[in-house]
Amino acid sequence: ALRNQIVRGENRALLKDRRRQVDREKLETFIKSLPYALTSDQRQALEEGLTDMDSPHVMYRLLQGDVGTGKTLVAALLAYANHLRSEQTAIMAPTDALARQHFDTLKALFQGTNMEIGLLVGNMSAEERHNVLEDLSDGTLDLVVGTHALFSKGVNYAYLGLAVIDEQHKFGVNQRS
């Protein structure tokens, strides 16, 4: 717990390089295209995340809620906002199965947008892995979903702007850092 507090303090002290602000109008257009309305809690969590993303400080935020409350949707909307300012997002899940589930959900959610989404998990062929790594490093991928493989040796991002860790309590301290 103390180590996490130290890391959080160090992150808050960091200043990001100059970033573009999130295009709120385009984000709202996407939200209005969804087949459901956001709840007030989802809207509040989204607004707080967007405010952090537009601030000069590194965001370090915990989003918690019961199963089915729409945490993944909030993370997806923040990823879309990040895409609107031409930055990449990584979403890390604790298992291959959960990463694949998120990948399928996000592919369906962003169908019809120009977001390029990839999957990086341990159980991939060498060719698939190579293609994803290449697409991450040259900026082809806007969003990558995976396991701790996302932050392993040899993984390079063109411009990572947002990292989301799902169920972080299932990861070790070093993986979370």
Side-chain angles (χ1 to χ4, degrees):
L2 180 58
R3 179 184 166 128
N4 281 345
Q5 285 178 321
I6 291 168
V7 168
R8 214 172 284 131
E10 288 171 350
N11 284 347
R12 264 195 227 103
L14 291 174
L15 292 179
K16 297 184 283 197
D17 54 355
R18 192 129 177 92
R19 305 277 173 103
R20 281 186 260 179
Q21 299 289 97
V22 172
D23 186 330
R24 303 281 182 122
E25 276 185 40
K26 285 184 181 173
L27 180 61
E28 272 307 312
T29 299
F30 178 74
I31 291 169
K32 286 180 179 150
S33 77
L34 297 173
Y36 39 78
L38 298 182
T39 67
S40 60
D41 287 341
Q42 287 172 321
R43 180 63 74 176
Q44 180 181 348
L46 176 63
E47 280 304 317
E48 289 175 6
L50 292 170
T51 299
D52 281 356
M53 288 171 69
D54 283 342
S55 88
H57 300 282
V58 173
M59 175 169 54
Y60 196 92
R61 181 170 288 277
L62 174 67
L63 179 61
Q64 64 185 53
D66 292 332
V67 172
T69 56
K71 299 178 299 291
T72 302
L73 178 61
V74 171
L77 292 173
L78 292 172
Y80 189 73
N82 196 49
H83 160 70
L84 290 175
R85 63 181 189 180
S86 303
E87 295 181 18
Q88 293 171 305
T89 298
I91 298 181
M92 186 168 75
T95 64
D96 280 24
L98 188 55
R100 288 178 191 279
Q101 181 182 333
H102 283 327
F103 175 74
D104 292 341
T105 299
L106 294 168
K107 281 289 265 190
L109 181 69
F110 294 124
Q111 187 177 352
T113 71
N114 63 348
M115 269 188 82
E116 291 292 328
I117 304 171
L119 177 70
L120 187 62
V121 292
N123 189 13
M124 295 177 82
S125 73
E127 183 182 354
E128 287 174 316
R129 180 176 169 79
H130 172 78
N131 291 341
V132 170
L133 293 179
E134 205 170 75
D135 290 348
L136 271 178
S137 66
D138 72 11
T140 300
L141 286 180
D142 302 299
L143 170 62
V144 64
V145 182
T147 58
H148 61 279
L150 294 172
F151 298 103
S152 60
K153 190 175 181 194
V155 179
N156 298 303
Y157 295 84
Y159 207 88
L160 182 63
L162 178 65
V164 177
I165 304 170
D166 187 17
E167 300 197 45
Q168 73 160 346
H169 62 280
K170 293 185 180 175
F171 292 101
V173 172
N174 291 335
Q175 289 171 320
R176 285 196 302 265
S177 296

